[in-house]
Amino acid sequence: MKFGKSICILNVGGTKYAFSKEVIKDFPLSRVSRLHKCASEKEVLEVCDDYDRERNEFFFDRHSEAFCFIMLYVKYGKLRFVPQMCELSFYNEMIYWGLESSHLEFCCQRRLDDRMSDSYIHFSEEEDKLDKEMRGENLVTRVVTEREDSKWLERMRRTFDEPTSSVAAQILASVSVIFVIVSMVMLCASTLPDWKTAENNSVVEHRYNPDSLEHPSGIIEAVCISWFTAECIVRFIVSRDKCEFVKRPLNIIDLLAITPYYISISMTMLTGENSQLQRAGVTLRVLRMMRIFWVIKLARHFLGLQTLGLTLRRCYREMVMLLLFICVPMAIFSALAQLLEHGLDLESPNEDYASIPAACWWVIISMTTVGYGDMYPITVPGRVLGGLCVVSGIVLLALPITFIYHSFVQCYHELKFRSARCTRSLSAEFLN
């Protein structure tokens, strides 16, 4: 818009702020910066509540004190709640000006998440749209896609992808969890000695193999695999972007959990019961144990595992730092321990420290304060070095763990807030 003057005045609830055109253009608040793109007075009135052309003044009928705190964030980079003001009301002001909860200080984020989870507040359509815009979601593309998809397809997508979106989604998630638990119990029970004895007897009677449908355990396992396969296929069919679906970590884990069963079945059919193919037998056992990935499928239904995965994804730098803090002292202490315990041509050298790689095991269990006691220094200098190793491990490991802990708490509250919003939608659907 071609402003009448070089100075623009923002009137927010009676409090006026004067800015130049250049400042308005690159203003950190998206609602204010949108004024510079307006080509007519009609477009200006879509952004603000009133406009005075003579004074070049834009009026916003919003909370003036809340905007004052938002301006402090623009100036100093720290955003906190207004004292004696409802957190939800202030969050409403934030959304209006183009901010989101991540701009708040950590303590205020926790207050906001707890308040939202406890109050079950339904946000207006405008707030939801602005919130999704700030998260980079293209609303136009979303509307066009929803028009192209049928209603039942959208409902199916939400049922399989969001376990708390509806009653049917919760039932489906519960059934999936039951199948995961049953399959894990069967996998663990198959390693018991009594179970193996029963399998050997079955082999003598009717040439049983672990995946045979002639045995009840094989039937149960086949039913579980059938459920997981059908669930994965349906989720792939109803997904919007097939390429994005394949790239998701949880979907990759689902594929890793299902594929070994079909590979083992195929290899058994090809090799039969030929005992000379020992490599194939080892491969089958490895593939069978790969079904332990079913446990990770629980992350789709439990908030704690989702929090762990999100924390690891966001804190990969801290995790690398943690590994670095372990590897560097491990190289130093293992070399010194090997020298003091074995490398000085002692009368009775400690054979546990015959090499530096062998000493690395002692260093890692000492720094992490595990201390199995399977190997330990016997010389006085070696014991002094062991004490330094333990103390340095406590100090070095504690440094990055603090950052990981705070990130874990933040991820937990973020996922808890998302789950609470889905629960509110579920409650509304149940009441309707």
Side-chain angles (χ1 to χ4, degrees):
M1 177 181 178
K2 298 180 179 180
F3 298 103
K5 299 179 181 179
S6 59
I7 301 298
C8 305
I9 301 175
L10 302 182
N11 188 339
V12 182
T15 305
K16 298 183 180 181
Y17 303 85
F19 302 100
S20 62
K21 293 181 180 180
E22 291 74 15
V23 174
I24 291 291
K25 180 180 179 181
D26 301 324
F27 207 78
L29 304 180
S30 60
R31 182 169 288 271
V32 177
S33 62
R34 285 163 57 189
L35 292 173
H36 191 274
K37 301 178 181 179
C38 296
S40 63
E41 186 172 344
K42 181 180 179 181
E43 294 182 2
V44 171
L45 294 177
E46 293 178 358
V47 179
C48 61
D49 296 302
D50 199 4
Y51 172 61
D52 189 343
R53 181 179 292 274
E54 295 181 359
R55 293 180 293 183
N56 203 28
E57 180 176 335
F58 305 89
F59 176 73
F60 297 87
D61 188 15
R62 308 300 298 185
H63 198 284
S64 59
E65 189 176 359
F67 186 75
C68 180
F69 272 70
I70 293 176
M71 288 300 298
L72 291 177
Y73 164 74
V74 173
K75 186 175 182 180
Y76 299 106
K78 293 184 178 181
L79 180 61
R80 294 187 174 89
F81 285 127
V82 178
Q84 307 301 326
M85 183 178 180
C86 175
E87 293 87 352
L88 299 177
S89 299
F90 186 77
Y91 183 54
N92 187 28
E93 296 293 324
M94 289 171 51
I95 293 177
Y96 178 82
W97 294 108
L99 299 176
E100 56 181 359
S101 60
S102 60
H103 293 95
L104 286 167
E105 292 296 299
F106 179 70
C107 57
C108 295
Q109 288 185 25
R110 294 189 58 180
R111 286 175 53 189
L112 178 62
D113 293 343
D114 293 340
R115 184 62 184 272
M116 286 182 172
S117 300
D118 297 336
S119 301
Y120 296 96
I121 299 299
H122 292 273
F123 296 100
S124 64
E125 294 181 359
E126 179 183 0
E127 294 169 0
D128 286 336
K129 290 180 181 179
L130 290 174
D131 186 43
K132 291 178 180 178
E133 283 180 350
M134 295 306 297
R135 297 187 183 190
E137 186 172 341
N138 192 333
L139 292 179
V140 177
T141 305
R142 177 171 173 266
V143 170
V144 172
T145 304
E146 288 183 353
R147 288 178 179 176
E148 293 176 353
D149 293 343
S150 59
K151 292 183 179 180
W152 70 268
L153 192 61
E154 180 66 23
R155 182 178 293 273
M156 287 284 291
R157 185 183 299 116
R158 290 177 58 85
T159 301
F160 279 88
D161 290 340
E162 301 177 11
T164 58
S165 61
S166 64
V167 177
Q170 283 195 348
I171 295 175
L172 188 67
S174 301
V175 174
S176 182
V177 169
I178 292 174
F179 274 108
V180 171
I181 295 175
V182 170
S183 61
M184 284 296 98
V185 171
M186 296 299 298
L187 181 61
C188 296
S190 64
T191 60
L192 295 174
D194 296 338
W195 187 282
K196 291 184 177 180
T197 303
E199 285 185 358
N200 294 331
N201 295 333
S202 299
V203 169
V204 174
E205 293 176 2
H206 46 76
R207 301 183 64 83
Y208 165 76
N209 64 73
D211 296 317
S212 176
L213 295 180
E214 298 177 0
H215 196 274
S217 62
I219 297 175
I220 296 175
E221 193 170 12
V223 171
C224 294
I225 286 291
S226 301
W227 171 267
F228 298 146
T229 304
E231 183 183 9
C232 188
I233 292 175
V234 172
R235 293 180 62 253
F236 177 78
I237 293 175
V238 301
S239 62
R240 290 194 183 98
D241 190 349
K242 301 299 187 292
C243 296
E244 183 66 23
F245 177 86
V246 176
K247 296 178 181 178
R248 291 179 183 176
L250 287 179
N251 297 331
I252 296 175
I253 292 172
D254 290 343
L255 187 62
L256 291 176
I258 296 172
T259 305
Y261 178 83
Y262 294 105
I263 295 178
S264 61
I265 289 292
S266 302
M267 293 185 66
T268 302
M269 294 176 63
L270 293 176
T271 60
E273 299 295 334
N274 190 352
S275 59
Q276 296 180 357
L277 298 177
Q278 296 181 359
R279 291 186 178 180
V282 173
T283 304
L284 290 177
R285 288 193 291 269
V286 172
L287 292 174
R288 184 174 178 82
M289 279 302 160
M290 283 184 63
R291 296 172 196 172
I292 198 66
F293 284 111
W294 287 338
V295 176
I296 309 179
K297 288 172 63 66
L298 297 175
R300 196 183 300 277
H301 312 293
F302 290 96
L303 185 64
L305 293 176
Q306 295 176 13
T307 305
L308 179 61
L310 184 60
T311 303
L312 293 178
R313 187 177 66 181
R314 292 184 177 180
C315 296
Y316 69 93
R317 292 188 179 89
E318 287 77 7
M319 297 298 296
V320 172
M321 186 188 305
L322 181 61
L323 294 177
L324 184 64
F325 284 178
I326 294 177
C327 293
V328 173
M330 184 172 63
I332 297 174
F333 284 113
S334 61
L336 293 177
Q338 194 275 338
L339 177 65
L340 295 176
E341 292 293 318
H342 191 274
L344 294 179
D345 296 331
L346 303 175
E347 296 180 358
S348 57
N350 194 343
E351 296 300 330
D352 291 335
Y353 297 84
S355 64
I356 292 179
C360 286
W361 170 252
W362 169 78
V363 173
I364 190 66
I365 63 176
S366 298
M367 289 187 64
T368 55
T369 67
V370 176
Y372 289 115
D374 55 345
M375 56 186 298
Y376 51 88
I378 57 177
T379 63
V380 175
R383 291 177 178 177
V384 174
L385 180 68
L388 294 176
C389 180
V390 173
V391 173
S392 63
I394 295 174
V395 175
L396 293 176
L397 296 182
L399 296 177
I401 286 178
T402 305
F403 297 99
I404 298 174
Y405 165 75
H406 286 296
S407 179
F408 179 85
V409 174
Q410 185 176 2
C411 293
Y412 173 75
H413 285 282
E414 179 180 341
L415 293 177
K416 182 181 177 183
F417 168 60
R418 294 180 185 176
S419 178
R421 297 192 67 176
C422 291
T423 304
R424 290 196 294 270
S425 301
L426 173 63
S427 301
E429 179 181 348
F430 181 75
L431 291 175
N432 291 333

